[in-house]
Amino acid sequence: MLSEEQRGALEMLIGSRCCTGAMLLAHGFNIDMVADLVRDGLVTARREPVKVDGQMIKVARLRITAAGRAAIAY
């Protein structure tokens, strides 16, 4: 059973295909909740290099999984 916060995070990921962890946090989602979604296999997280203001930084790119899509279908 998903909490409203978890459902909201998964719906945001569906709407954007993928986003960064920082983007979810900026929208008020809790880092522990995001980590739980990854642990439960509803979301994948991958560190990727991104160029920002001429500097390379690593961001966590999050994507919803098939299990995550199924979880919000209920």
Side-chain angles (χ1 to χ4, degrees), residues 19-23 44-48 50 58-62:
C19 68
T20 65
M23 190 180 298
T44 60
R46 181 175 163 187
R47 291 183 66 194
E48 296 181 4
V50 175
K58 288 198 176 186
V59 298
R61 183 147 333 249
L62 303 171

Side-chain angles (χ1 to χ4, degrees), residues 34-43:
V34 174
D36 289 344
L37 292 174
V38 172
R39 182 199 65 219
D40 294 341
L42 303 175
V43 171

